[in-house]
Amino acid sequence: MANNNAIAVLETGAHFDMERIRADFPILNTKVEGKPLVYLDNAASSQMPQQVIDRLVYYQTAQHANINRAVHYLSEVATDEYEKARQKIQRFVNAREQREIIFTSGTTDSINLVMHGYGRQFIQAGDEIILTTLEHHSNIVPWQMLAKEKGAVIRVVPINDAGELDIESYEKLFNDRTKFVGLIHVSNALGTINPIKRMIDYAHQQDVPVLVDGAQAAPHIAVDMQALDCDFYVFSAHKLCGPTGIGMLYGKASVLEAMQPFKGGGDMIASVTFEETTYADIPHKFEAGTPPIAAAIGFGAAVDYLSSIGMEQIYAHESKLLHYATERISAIKGAKILGTAAQKTAVISFILDGIHPHDIGTILNQDGIAVRTGHHCAQPIMQRFNVPATSRASFAFYNDISEVDALIAGIRNVQNIFL
Ligand code: PMP
């Protein structure tokens, strides 16, 4: 039985058809230790609705062949569906042109592509790269590898105690050696939504390009490439109800055209002789070899699914879950939330006095509750807060208030066991 707060939240969200949405996700019927699954690990990977599963099955059943290489029927169908998926992603992020969307294997792959294709060409010894304390390791390590290779320098934007970027410090980091900015849109560990438009505009005033890691933004808020005007934007399909092994890199056409390819091979060439190779135009220049065709088509189906619900509706529902969960967890004695930014997505990282996060995760799992424990591939944030790890509950639009209540009961149970 939900309490009064929960009922108030549910009433204000009455237009959101939770029952119908949950029915789309067969995996939510899973039982764990005989109890209903409460899946709160969506920042690591979200679940797939039947519509996307069906699309994958239909592709494999009726449409599969290799793309781009033949004139036979199935190859033309598969090529067409693959390119239609690209167009769906283009519309989802409001990119100006379809050729600005490159299929990659995910966020990490996209960032590595930019590091190799842009960084190795345009960043030299003594140049500076600005990153933030909030970055996921995948937007730190590639730039460190580049800095080491080139003798470049990494500068880091600090955060305050709420987990918000210090924008004044960011602006002060720029000088005439600054050549690149890598910026997380939404923190996977804390949920902070960064003021990236302002930060992109500032970098552009200094003629510095910006890569935005949107892995935790695209699943929760509408993102618009033309409005943001960033040079690169990256995310993975598996965090927005799509398959693993596929993601995207948005790049401004003029920037992508100036870049060298990262991987060489079939499908990315215009002509090859042993003396010289000329490359295909974008986006194909960056898509060497047979891509994960089925996964790309599933990615297209996933953004169709999210769009059918509406990103504004998704954000509004998840915000209600966030506020309710924040209020309830803050009221638990001995619990502390890390990351209390004014602008947040529905991610709650918390610690419990005297209890190791790993033990919290293990006991919650016995109640069927899936949360993530650890450093969340964001060790600099853990260092900033002086903790080795946190427990993280991360919500999706298919989570409901009763699942927040289950989490609260689970946390109290953990405290009863350990304290
Ligand atoms: N950046 C952020 C902010 C993330 O949350 C993640 C996934 N945890 C990644 C990058 C890496 O994504 P992937 O593993 O899909 O490449």
Side-chain angles (χ1 to χ4, degrees), residues 43 106-108 136 138 184 186 188 213 215-216 236 238-239:
T107 307
T108 305
H136 185 280
S138 65
I184 194 166
V186 170
N188 61 306
D213 172 356
Q216 298 293 341
S236 307
H238 70 92
K239 294 185 200 285

PDB file of all heavy atoms in Angstrom, residues 43 106-108 136 138 184 186 188 213 215-216 236 238-239, ligand 1:
ATOM      1  N   ALA A  43      21.023   2.893 -15.327  1.00  0.00           N
ATOM      2  CA  ALA A  43      22.155   3.692 -15.827  1.00  0.00           C
ATOM      3  C   ALA A  43      23.224   2.778 -16.411  1.00  0.00           C
ATOM      4  O   ALA A  43      23.989   3.186 -17.283  1.00  0.00           O
ATOM      5  CB  ALA A  43      22.742   4.547 -14.699  1.00  0.00           C
ATOM      6  N   GLY A 106      29.313   1.795 -29.556  1.00  0.00           N
ATOM      7  CA  GLY A 106      28.804   2.385 -28.317  1.00  0.00           C
ATOM      8  C   GLY A 106      29.554   3.655 -27.957  1.00  0.00           C
ATOM      9  O   GLY A 106      30.419   4.127 -28.706  1.00  0.00           O
ATOM     10  N   THR A 107      29.226   4.191 -26.802  1.00  0.00           N
ATOM     11  CA  THR A 107      29.830   5.448 -26.343  1.00  0.00           C
ATOM     12  C   THR A 107      31.358   5.375 -26.327  1.00  0.00           C
ATOM     13  O   THR A 107      32.046   6.260 -26.830  1.00  0.00           O
ATOM     14  CB  THR A 107      29.330   5.757 -24.912  1.00  0.00           C
ATOM     15  OG1 THR A 107      27.906   5.706 -24.917  1.00  0.00           O
ATOM     16  CG2 THR A 107      29.808   7.104 -24.426  1.00  0.00           C
ATOM     17  N   THR A 108      31.875   4.308 -25.733  1.00  0.00           N
ATOM     18  CA  THR A 108      33.324   4.160 -25.601  1.00  0.00           C
ATOM     19  C   THR A 108      33.984   4.153 -26.979  1.00  0.00           C
ATOM     20  O   THR A 108      34.994   4.830 -27.204  1.00  0.00           O
ATOM     21  CB  THR A 108      33.640   2.836 -24.863  1.00  0.00           C
ATOM     22  OG1 THR A 108      32.926   2.839 -23.623  1.00  0.00           O
ATOM     23  CG2 THR A 108      35.122   2.669 -24.599  1.00  0.00           C
ATOM     24  N   HIS A 136      32.996   9.991 -16.995  1.00  0.00           N
ATOM     25  CA  HIS A 136      33.119   8.526 -16.951  1.00  0.00           C
ATOM     26  C   HIS A 136      34.526   8.182 -17.449  1.00  0.00           C
ATOM     27  O   HIS A 136      35.092   8.915 -18.261  1.00  0.00           O
ATOM     28  CB  HIS A 136      32.057   7.950 -17.885  1.00  0.00           C
ATOM     29  CG  HIS A 136      31.931   6.463 -17.902  1.00  0.00           C
ATOM     30  ND1 HIS A 136      32.784   5.657 -18.615  1.00  0.00           N
ATOM     31  CD2 HIS A 136      31.032   5.631 -17.312  1.00  0.00           C
ATOM     32  CE1 HIS A 136      32.416   4.392 -18.465  1.00  0.00           C
ATOM     33  NE2 HIS A 136      31.353   4.346 -17.678  1.00  0.00           N
ATOM     34  N   SER A 138      35.460   6.411 -19.659  1.00  0.00           N
ATOM     35  CA  SER A 138      35.572   6.325 -21.127  1.00  0.00           C
ATOM     36  C   SER A 138      35.800   7.693 -21.768  1.00  0.00           C
ATOM     37  O   SER A 138      36.172   7.758 -22.937  1.00  0.00           O
ATOM     38  CB  SER A 138      34.347   5.636 -21.727  1.00  0.00           C
ATOM     39  OG  SER A 138      33.214   6.414 -21.507  1.00  0.00           O
ATOM     40  N   ILE A 184      30.823  15.679 -20.018  1.00  0.00           N
ATOM     41  CA  ILE A 184      29.713  14.743 -19.796  1.00  0.00           C
ATOM     42  C   ILE A 184      28.424  15.558 -19.676  1.00  0.00           C
ATOM     43  O   ILE A 184      28.394  16.594 -19.012  1.00  0.00           O
ATOM     44  CB  ILE A 184      29.997  13.871 -18.547  1.00  0.00           C
ATOM     45  CG1 ILE A 184      29.056  12.663 -18.482  1.00  0.00           C
ATOM     46  CG2 ILE A 184      29.931  14.674 -17.266  1.00  0.00           C
ATOM     47  CD1 ILE A 184      29.516  11.603 -17.474  1.00  0.00           C
ATOM     48  N   VAL A 186      25.278  14.299 -18.603  1.00  0.00           N
ATOM     49  CA  VAL A 186      24.657  13.920 -17.326  1.00  0.00           C
ATOM     50  C   VAL A 186      25.581  12.905 -16.651  1.00  0.00           C
ATOM     51  O   VAL A 186      25.995  11.925 -17.280  1.00  0.00           O
ATOM     52  CB  VAL A 186      23.269  13.287 -17.554  1.00  0.00           C
ATOM     53  CG1 VAL A 186      22.731  12.676 -16.266  1.00  0.00           C
ATOM     54  CG2 VAL A 186      22.280  14.314 -18.104  1.00  0.00           C
ATOM     55  N   ASN A 188      26.813   9.805 -14.754  1.00  0.00           N
ATOM     56  CA  ASN A 188      26.262   8.475 -14.478  1.00  0.00           C
ATOM     57  C   ASN A 188      26.326   8.148 -12.995  1.00  0.00           C
ATOM     58  O   ASN A 188      25.495   7.403 -12.485  1.00  0.00           O
ATOM     59  CB  ASN A 188      27.006   7.394 -15.277  1.00  0.00           C
ATOM     60  CG  ASN A 188      28.476   7.327 -14.922  1.00  0.00           C
ATOM     61  OD1 ASN A 188      29.171   8.328 -14.978  1.00  0.00           O
ATOM     62  ND2 ASN A 188      28.948   6.155 -14.523  1.00  0.00           N
ATOM     63  N   ASP A 213      29.591  13.710 -23.951  1.00  0.00           N
ATOM     64  CA  ASP A 213      29.235  12.320 -23.658  1.00  0.00           C
ATOM     65  C   ASP A 213      27.784  12.328 -23.181  1.00  0.00           C
ATOM     66  O   ASP A 213      27.491  12.712 -22.046  1.00  0.00           O
ATOM     67  CB  ASP A 213      30.188  11.779 -22.582  1.00  0.00           C
ATOM     68  CG  ASP A 213      29.762  10.401 -22.082  1.00  0.00           C
ATOM     69  OD1 ASP A 213      28.699   9.904 -22.501  1.00  0.00           O
ATOM     70  OD2 ASP A 213      30.508   9.827 -21.263  1.00  0.00           O
ATOM     71  N   ALA A 215      25.777   9.668 -22.889  1.00  0.00           N
ATOM     72  CA  ALA A 215      25.319   8.302 -22.569  1.00  0.00           C
ATOM     73  C   ALA A 215      24.189   8.295 -21.545  1.00  0.00           C
ATOM     74  O   ALA A 215      23.287   7.454 -21.614  1.00  0.00           O
ATOM     75  CB  ALA A 215      26.495   7.463 -22.061  1.00  0.00           C
ATOM     76  N   GLN A 216      24.233   9.243 -20.588  1.00  0.00           N
ATOM     77  CA  GLN A 216      23.191   9.263 -19.543  1.00  0.00           C
ATOM     78  C   GLN A 216      22.170  10.368 -19.769  1.00  0.00           C
ATOM     79  O   GLN A 216      21.278  10.557 -18.947  1.00  0.00           O
ATOM     80  CB  GLN A 216      23.835   9.444 -18.163  1.00  0.00           C
ATOM     81  CG  GLN A 216      24.780   8.331 -17.765  1.00  0.00           C
ATOM     82  CD  GLN A 216      24.082   6.995 -17.545  1.00  0.00           C
ATOM     83  OE1 GLN A 216      22.864   6.928 -17.334  1.00  0.00           O
ATOM     84  NE2 GLN A 216      24.847   5.918 -17.583  1.00  0.00           N
ATOM     85  N   SER A 236      25.134   5.301 -26.305  1.00  0.00           N
ATOM     86  CA  SER A 236      24.981   3.866 -26.587  1.00  0.00           C
ATOM     87  C   SER A 236      23.500   3.517 -26.652  1.00  0.00           C
ATOM     88  O   SER A 236      22.710   4.028 -25.852  1.00  0.00           O
ATOM     89  CB  SER A 236      25.595   3.024 -25.465  1.00  0.00           C
ATOM     90  OG  SER A 236      26.922   3.404 -25.214  1.00  0.00           O
ATOM     91  N   HIS A 238      22.163   0.635 -25.778  1.00  0.00           N
ATOM     92  CA  HIS A 238      21.691  -0.267 -24.718  1.00  0.00           C
ATOM     93  C   HIS A 238      21.218   0.460 -23.473  1.00  0.00           C
ATOM     94  O   HIS A 238      20.628  -0.139 -22.582  1.00  0.00           O
ATOM     95  CB  HIS A 238      22.784  -1.293 -24.354  1.00  0.00           C
ATOM     96  CG  HIS A 238      23.960  -0.715 -23.636  1.00  0.00           C
ATOM     97  ND1 HIS A 238      24.031  -0.660 -22.272  1.00  0.00           N
ATOM     98  CD2 HIS A 238      25.106  -0.150 -24.096  1.00  0.00           C
ATOM     99  CE1 HIS A 238      25.193  -0.102 -21.920  1.00  0.00           C
ATOM    100  NE2 HIS A 238      25.854   0.220 -23.010  1.00  0.00           N
ATOM    101  N   LYS A 239      21.462   1.765 -23.386  1.00  0.00           N
ATOM    102  CA  LYS A 239      20.942   2.519 -22.245  1.00  0.00           C
ATOM    103  C   LYS A 239      19.610   3.183 -22.585  1.00  0.00           C
ATOM    104  O   LYS A 239      19.014   3.864 -21.769  1.00  0.00           O
ATOM    105  CB  LYS A 239      21.950   3.581 -21.793  1.00  0.00           C
ATOM    106  CG  LYS A 239      23.237   2.963 -21.212  1.00  0.00           C
ATOM    107  CD  LYS A 239      24.149   4.019 -20.672  1.00  0.00           C
ATOM    108  CE  LYS A 239      25.580   3.579 -20.532  1.00  0.00           C
ATOM    109  NZ  LYS A 239      25.836   2.681 -19.404  1.00  0.00           N
TER     110      LYS A 239
HETATM  111  N1  PMP B   1      29.752   7.486 -20.465  1.00  0.00           N
HETATM  112  C1  PMP B   1      28.820   7.423 -19.515  1.00  0.00           C
HETATM  113  C2  PMP B   1      28.356   8.688 -18.868  1.00  0.00           C
HETATM  114  C3  PMP B   1      28.291   6.198 -19.139  1.00  0.00           C
HETATM  115  O1  PMP B   1      27.366   6.141 -18.180  1.00  0.00           O
HETATM  116  C4  PMP B   1      28.757   5.025 -19.776  1.00  0.00           C
HETATM  117  C5  PMP B   1      28.219   3.656 -19.381  1.00  0.00           C
HETATM  118  N2  PMP B   1      28.228   3.417 -18.013  1.00  0.00           N
HETATM  119  C6  PMP B   1      29.714   5.149 -20.769  1.00  0.00           C
HETATM  120  C7  PMP B   1      30.194   6.384 -21.084  1.00  0.00           C
HETATM  121  C8  PMP B   1      30.246   3.952 -21.499  1.00  0.00           C
HETATM  122  O2  PMP B   1      29.231   3.398 -22.286  1.00  0.00           O
HETATM  123  P1  PMP B   1      29.479   2.032 -23.063  1.00  0.00           P
HETATM  124  O3  PMP B   1      29.983   1.065 -22.052  1.00  0.00           O
HETATM  125  O4  PMP B   1      28.130   1.674 -23.600  1.00  0.00           O
HETATM  126  O5  PMP B   1      30.475   2.313 -24.145  1.00  0.00           O
END
